[in-house]
Amino acid sequence: MESASGTAIRVPEVRLSSSTAAGSRPMPVIGLGTAADALDVVAMRSAALEAIKLGYRHFDTASKYGSEEPLGEVLAESLRLGLIGSRAELFVTSKLWTSDAHADRVVPALRKSLSNLQLDYLDLYLIHWPISCKPGSYMYPGDESDLMPMDFEAVWAAMEECQRLGLTKSIGVSNFSCKKLGNILSFAKIPPTVNQVEMNPLWQQKKLREFCKANNVIITAFSPLGARGTNWGTNEVMENESLKEIAKARGKSIAQVCLRWLYEQGVTFVVKSFNKERLKENLGIFDWELTEGDHEKIERIPQKKMMLKEEFVSAKGPFKSVEELWDGEL
């Protein structure tokens, strides 16, 4: 991306730790998210291409999103056009869906994602949710009777095999609580490098941030602006009065305040926007800082989780309460 003065803005990176040298990989702190209730493929392609022109190199997708194929087409086109110098410039994340979260289905699922993306390897492969569903169950929300506890050791061993095979540079998890992440860490030969979770100023995840930092796990925040316009999202982040006051005082947008706050917490983040001006605006967070007073004001914001998990729970299924499924960490 270029600033108003024409000076290129370099997106900072974090380095993912791994027990294998091949798994070590720098990850740009900001990525383009591609999850949408009803994916507009044309708009997504256009946004991804524009993002590349602006300087985005980190792209987040998942087998469940339906965005792997169009994203792969854009990445291939960008390489052909010379917008990207080489595959090595990119950082691409995808995720294992719950119905493939079985030991014998992990490697085939990743190979399918790679085929969709027209890539030889991923930079990061995540377990999408800490639950499994019966194979072949791809609806979301799914039939509660299809839910089953995950065999964490077997599934994680298959994730490690994906990395050993060179199909992905790093592996991690998504939507994992401290307890479930700790379980993985207790037996992992290759520890997870990333935990992608909901995080924004209205859901600050302080306990999880501290746990991940202590265990050298990078957090990637999804819904960093509240996921306004989605069935799980809210307007409350972008309409928060404290954030409005900070934005006005700093001469920035509320979105920039939210993203800058995440950056100053040492968190990476994926932002879904198909709007050119907002894509550009979201990159304008690296040349200024929040004040100590700003941080104190944000810390006082009442906390409220946006993406609730009740859709996974039913008396027909193996989990009888939200607390049982999510370890009481909501």
Side-chain angles (χ1 to χ4, degrees):
M1 178 189 175
E2 293 189 350
S3 66
S5 63
T7 305
I9 296 175
R10 181 180 176 275
V11 175
E13 298 173 329
V14 296
R15 183 162 290 275
L16 303 184
S17 64
S18 177
S19 61
T20 64
S24 181
R25 183 82 172 101
M27 178 172 75
V29 298
I30 185 170
L32 179 68
T34 61
D37 283 341
L39 183 67
D40 183 333
V41 173
V42 174
M44 200 230 84
R45 283 198 190 102
S46 176
L49 188 61
E50 187 61 39
I52 288 168
K53 294 176 181 177
L54 289 169
Y56 286 79
R57 292 297 181 266
H58 177 182
F59 296 89
D60 182 87
T61 183
S63 60
K64 185 59 186 168
Y65 296 166
S67 58
E68 287 179 333
E69 287 192 39
L71 177 59
E73 292 166 1
V74 170
L75 298 181
E77 179 184 0
S78 297
L79 285 163
R80 284 194 301 270
L81 294 175
L83 298 176
I84 300 170
S86 71
R87 165 68 179 90
E89 292 183 18
L90 294 168
F91 190 99
V92 182
T93 300
S94 194
K95 308 178 191 72
L96 176 77
W97 186 241
T98 56
S99 55
D100 289 320
H102 305 273
D104 62 335
R105 298 178 67 89
V106 176
V107 172
L110 175 48
R111 290 191 188 278
K112 183 177 181 182
S113 287
L114 290 174
S115 176
N116 289 341
L117 286 159
Q118 302 180 45
L119 297 176
D120 294 325
Y121 65 89
L122 290 179
D123 299 280
L124 178 63
Y125 195 43
L126 305 177
I127 297 175
H128 207 148
W129 292 94
I131 55 173
S132 296
C133 289
K134 291 178 182 177
S137 304
Y138 290 98
M139 295 297 293
Y140 177 82
D143 188 323
E144 297 91 338
S145 62
D146 288 340
L147 294 178
M148 59 184 67
M150 182 183 292
D151 184 341
F152 288 104
E153 290 196 46
V155 171
W156 190 254
M159 294 286 287
E160 292 174 333
E161 181 65 10
C162 288
Q163 183 164 323
R164 280 191 287 267
L165 290 170
L167 301 176
T168 182
K169 298 294 185 182
S170 297
I171 50 178
V173 297
S174 181
N175 298 297
F176 271 55
S177 64
C178 294
K179 183 176 179 179
K180 285 186 166 62
L181 180 56
N183 180 37
I184 296 285
L185 289 166
S186 72
F187 55 73
K189 294 181 176 64
I190 303 175
T193 57
V194 168
N195 186 14
Q196 185 177 128
V197 297
E198 178 190 346
M199 184 177 166
N200 54 60
L202 270 66
W203 190 244
Q204 297 178 18
Q205 298 269 36
K206 185 175 181 181
K207 178 183 175 183
L208 184 63
R209 276 190 281 137
E210 291 173 350
F211 183 84
C212 287
K213 184 177 181 180
N215 287 281
N216 209 20
V217 176
I218 297 292
I219 285 182
T220 296
F222 69 75
S223 303
L225 308 179
R228 181 168 58 178
T230 66
N231 62 11
W232 68 85
T234 178
N235 296 336
E236 293 182 42
V237 175
M238 300 298 284
E239 295 177 357
N240 180 269
E241 289 301 324
S242 294
L243 296 176
K244 285 182 180 179
E245 290 170 6
I246 295 169
K248 184 177 180 180
R250 301 286 147 258
K252 304 296 180 181
S253 70
I254 295 173
Q256 287 175 319
V257 169
C258 291
L259 298 180
R260 180 69 201 187
W261 176 80
L262 287 166
Y263 178 59
E264 292 186 16
Q265 307 309 308
V267 170
T268 63
F269 37 92
V270 291
V271 190
K272 180 257 171 183
S273 177
F274 293 168
N275 177 281
K276 177 181 177 179
E277 291 307 312
R278 285 196 291 270
L279 285 169
K280 187 174 181 179
E281 176 186 289
N282 291 340
L283 288 176
I285 63 167
F286 301 116
D287 57 352
W288 58 280
E289 297 178 354
L290 294 167
T291 67
E292 184 177 343
D294 294 337
H295 280 281
E296 291 173 354
K297 187 174 289 188
I298 290 172
E299 192 158 331
R300 291 195 296 268
I301 294 174
Q303 296 297 283
K304 179 180 179 182
K305 186 168 184 60
M306 308 302 167
M307 193 174 189
L308 299 177
K309 307 301 192 299
E310 283 86 347
E311 63 265 29
F312 286 108
V313 179
S314 168
K316 294 187 293 181
F319 306 102
K320 306 308 179 188
S321 70
V322 174
E323 288 72 21
E324 180 185 352
L325 177 54
W326 300 102
D327 308 319
E329 298 180 18
L330 297 175

